[in-house]
């Protein structure tokens, strides 16, 4: 069995258990317009919890996942619900904390795989944005071979690679560099696409042109990029992984634009159809938690939602035990192993 690079070192792939393939545990995704403003943090209380969850980007402080004691309790709840591993995809630009992840993994027993590479251009410091593809590829390779953010904690994945729609020049270089680092190391890539149905196709074109096969690439946020099954199936035909990573988000209001966000039931209907059509083995499921309002400590569903609640929904929809294991354990394990 292959081994996977976790924040605590190599781990046998057959010891990963149930995997959340796209989460954030320690990061800061504060929107740029709020970051330097004088507006005070919104305290999250019983009185404010709904308002913050409904418009998560409008409340300063909500995007700062920096409270290690809370993170520890949230990971412990995930483990208690049967969770084994989290892929923590906080890339350069959103304040990744690999040394903090190592401490949390050691304290909770949850295996954590850290992500290399760069988030969307507006979040990345100007000095990084000026570099050419060669420099960026060497940087990502060093995150995988040497360590991230000045630590000796090595990345086991590339991503989430941040992309806008339309792509800006830095993001084209970041994608090319990710493909080159993938080719050199064999480490799989997870991409955050811009909010447009063509965005994942343009991203795959760039990755393929730089030598990355779609089988080594996951496209995140399918739930807010496509609103009809044929468009999802057309993307799947290219051979990449499709990630439904808004599990737990049941609001009708998408805070980043006009979109018919699905509920968990609707996600499962798409997934059921994908399995029937023969591409269930290319699906990944996660929550993409990146705000305090989605943590159990602040009234949210927490990392335990997928292991604790979703298998029951799946059984009600006729998913077999083998299909549930494929979606929650086998697929993300195969993805991180590059298979
Ligand atoms: Zn994310």
């Amino acid at each position: 069995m292959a081994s996977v690079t976790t924040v605590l070192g190599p781990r046998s792939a057959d010891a990963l258990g149930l995997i959340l393939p796209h989460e954030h545990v320690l990061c800061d995704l504060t929107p740029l317009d709020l970051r330097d403003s004088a507006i005070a943090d919104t305290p999250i209380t019983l009185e404010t919890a709904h308002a913050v969850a409904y418009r998560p980007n409008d409340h300063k402080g909500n995007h700062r996942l920096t409270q290690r004691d809370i993170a520890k309790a949230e990971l412990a709840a995930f483990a208690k619900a049967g969770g084994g591993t989290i892929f923590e995809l906080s890339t350069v630009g959103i304040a990744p904390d690999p040394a903090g992840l190592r401490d949390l993994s050691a304290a909770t027993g949850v295996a954590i795989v850290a992500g290399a590479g760069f988030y969307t251009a507006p979040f990345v410091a100007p000095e990084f944005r000026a570099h050419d593809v060669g420099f960026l590829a060497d940087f990502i390779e060093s995150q995988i071979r040497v360590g991230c953010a000045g630590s000796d904690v090595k990345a086991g994945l590339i991503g989430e690679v941040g992309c806008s729609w339309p792509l800006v020049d830095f993001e084209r270089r970041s994608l090319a560099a990710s493909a080159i680092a993938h080719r050199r190391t064999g480490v799989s890539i997870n991409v955050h696409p811009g909010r447009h149905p063509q965005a994942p196709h343009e991203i795959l074109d760039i990755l393929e042109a730089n030598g990355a096969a779609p089988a080594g690439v996951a496209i995140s946020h399918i739930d807010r990029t496509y609103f009809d099954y044929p468009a999802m199936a057309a993307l799947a035909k290219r051979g990449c992984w499709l990630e439904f990573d808004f599990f737990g988000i049941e609001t009708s209001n998408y805070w980043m634009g006009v979109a018919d966000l699905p509920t968990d039931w609707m996600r499962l209907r798409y997934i059921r159809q994908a399995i029937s059509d023969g591409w269930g083995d290319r699906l990944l499921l996660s929550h993409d938690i990146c705000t305090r309002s989605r943590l159990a400590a602040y009234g949210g569903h927490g990392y335990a939602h997928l292991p604790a609640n979703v298998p029951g929904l799946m059984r009600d929809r006729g998913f077999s035990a083998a299909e549930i294991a494929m979606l929650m354990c086998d697929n993300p394990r195969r993805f991180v192993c590059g298979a």
Side-chain angles (χ1 to χ4, degrees):
M1 183 57 87
S3 106
V4 173
T5 301
T6 75
V7 295
L8 287 173
R11 188 179 178 92
S12 171
D14 62 4
L16 298 178
L18 184 146
I19 301 169
L20 299 179
H22 188 145
E23 302 296 337
H24 303 275
V25 178
L26 296 174
C27 73
D28 185 353
L29 244 161
T30 302
L32 301 166
D33 54 334
L34 279 184
R35 193 159 285 204
D36 300 320
S37 79
I39 297 168
D41 284 5
T42 303
I44 303 179
T45 63
L46 279 176
E47 285 72 26
T48 65
H50 180 265
V52 177
Y54 196 74
R55 292 194 177 84
N57 282 22
D58 295 0
H59 298 273
K60 198 174 176 187
N62 191 31
H63 284 79
R64 264 202 302 281
L65 300 186
T66 50
Q67 298 161 299
R68 288 204 195 179
D69 50 340
I70 287 177
K72 188 174 155 189
E74 302 281 330
L75 292 181
F78 170 63
K80 195 169 172 214
T85 301
I86 286 180
F87 300 168
E88 214 282 8
L89 303 186
S90 300
T91 40
V92 172
I94 57 173
D97 181 357
L101 294 178
R102 179 166 56 191
D103 293 346
L104 286 172
S105 181
T108 62
V110 173
I112 300 177
V113 178
F118 300 89
Y119 199 62
T120 56
F123 283 87
V124 175
E127 56 264 34
F128 261 121
R129 290 204 303 263
H131 286 298
D132 63 14
V133 171
F135 178 94
L136 297 174
D138 289 346
F139 181 88
I140 296 169
E141 185 179 358
S142 83
Q143 290 182 301
I144 295 163
R145 296 200 195 279
V146 181
C148 299
S151 76
D152 59 356
V153 177
K154 295 171 185 165
L157 281 167
I158 300 168
E160 59 183 304
V161 182
C163 294
S164 310
W165 176 267
L167 283 170
V168 300
D169 186 54
F170 167 75
E171 291 162 354
R172 292 176 184 279
R173 278 180 275 127
S174 163
L175 283 169
S178 298
I180 292 166
H182 160 79
R183 224 170 53 213
R184 291 180 189 161
T185 62
V187 165
S188 297
I189 304 172
N190 189 313
V191 183
H192 159 115
R195 291 173 187 81
H196 191 282
Q198 268 310 310
H201 291 280
E202 186 184 26
I203 286 161
L204 286 173
D205 291 344
I206 294 170
L207 292 173
E208 288 189 88
N210 287 279
V217 179
I219 302 294
S220 282
H221 316 328
I222 294 300
D223 331 39
R224 62 83 166 136
T225 308
Y226 296 108
F227 305 100
D228 63 290
Y229 180 80
M232 297 173 190
L235 180 65
K237 275 215 169 65
R238 296 194 62 165
C240 60
W241 296 81
L242 275 71
E243 186 177 85
F244 289 87
D245 49 28
F246 274 33
F247 270 92
I249 296 177
E250 303 254 19
T251 179
S252 58
N253 173 48
Y254 185 41
W255 56 98
M256 299 290 281
V258 177
D260 295 336
L261 280 194
T263 63
D264 282 356
W265 279 116
M266 293 155 78
R267 277 180 262 280
L268 292 178
R269 198 156 60 216
Y270 291 132
I271 290 164
R272 184 72 255 159
Q273 186 68 44
I275 292 173
S276 299
D277 291 348
W279 52 279
D281 60 350
R282 311 304 287 175
L283 292 171
L284 301 170
L285 319 185
S286 211
H287 311 104
D288 190 18
I289 288 178
C290 56
T291 54
R292 291 181 179 178
S293 53
R294 297 183 67 198
L295 297 175
Y298 294 106
H301 53 77
Y303 304 101
H305 176 64
L306 263 159
N309 301 328
V310 177
L313 300 181
M314 289 174 155
R315 283 191 287 272
D316 290 347
R317 286 262 157 164
F319 288 69
S320 69
E323 287 167 342
I324 296 170
M326 170 183 77
L327 293 163
M328 295 197 168
C329 307
D330 305 342
N331 284 359
R333 187 193 70 235
R334 287 174 40 237
F335 170 69
V336 73
C337 290

